[in-house]
Amino acid sequence: MIALNTPTDFLGAIQAVLGYAPQHLEPGRFYRFGPRKSGWAKLFADCLGGVFGDYRQNISSHWMARQPQHQSPAELASMRHQICQAAVEREAAQRAQWAKNAERNARLWMASVPAGDTVRSYLAQRGLGAESR
């Protein structure tokens, strides 16, 4: 039988691996937390497993409420599917954030003041003059 405190166990596993954890996790939702939001976690909606990691430490892991030897092949396959689905969702969210950042950077670049002669000369000496504004 699975204990009713699986979210607490999941947070404990995150704490043990990363050294920090979020205060609370809502099942089925992806969270960013920690120093500079480098930590991430998702407790699956069924609370039987989850994924977590830290981008800066290059850590990625998963957690299951029950040991693999106590799970049926169907449960293990479901867990693998949920882990893959979480990776796909996270990659899509990251691509969306990169696109948003690119749009913001383009707006900032277009609004920037053209570089003066001194700056153009400095950049040209370093092979960067063609792109200066």
Side-chain angles (χ1 to χ4, degrees):
M1 174 157 185
I2 298 172
L4 296 176
N5 62 351
T6 53
T8 304
D9 295 341
F10 182 55
L11 292 173
I14 295 170
Q15 177 71 34
V17 173
L18 301 182
Y20 61 94
Q23 297 295 318
H24 172 74
L25 285 176
E26 182 180 318
R29 185 167 170 234
F30 187 86
Y31 282 87
R32 294 288 301 265
F33 60 93
R36 304 173 100 189
K37 300 284 187 192
S38 65
W40 55 271
K42 179 177 182 181
L43 178 62
F44 300 142
D46 61 8
C47 292
L48 296 179
V51 291
F52 63 93
D54 183 291
Y55 293 116
R56 293 195 183 279
Q57 296 181 55
N58 197 26
I59 295 173
S60 179
S61 190
H62 68 277
W63 170 87
M64 293 185 286
R66 296 190 321 186
Q67 296 298 319
Q69 64 267 26
H70 299 299
Q71 294 182 358
S72 71
E75 289 173 325
L76 290 171
S78 174
M79 182 63 64
R80 281 191 297 274
H81 175 73
Q82 288 183 78
I83 290 170
C84 289
Q85 184 62 33
V88 167
E89 289 172 7
R90 177 61 201 135
E91 289 168 6
Q94 184 64 63
R95 281 192 300 277
Q97 184 63 49
W98 286 339
K100 181 180 172 184
N101 293 349
E103 290 173 10
R104 179 180 175 271
N105 291 343
R107 283 193 312 275
L108 289 172
W109 183 255
M110 294 307 294
S112 67
V113 176
D117 290 336
T118 306
V119 174
R120 274 195 287 279
S121 173
Y122 174 84
L123 293 173
Q125 290 173 2
R126 284 148 184 80
L128 303 171
E131 300 261 345
S132 67
R133 273 191 63 78

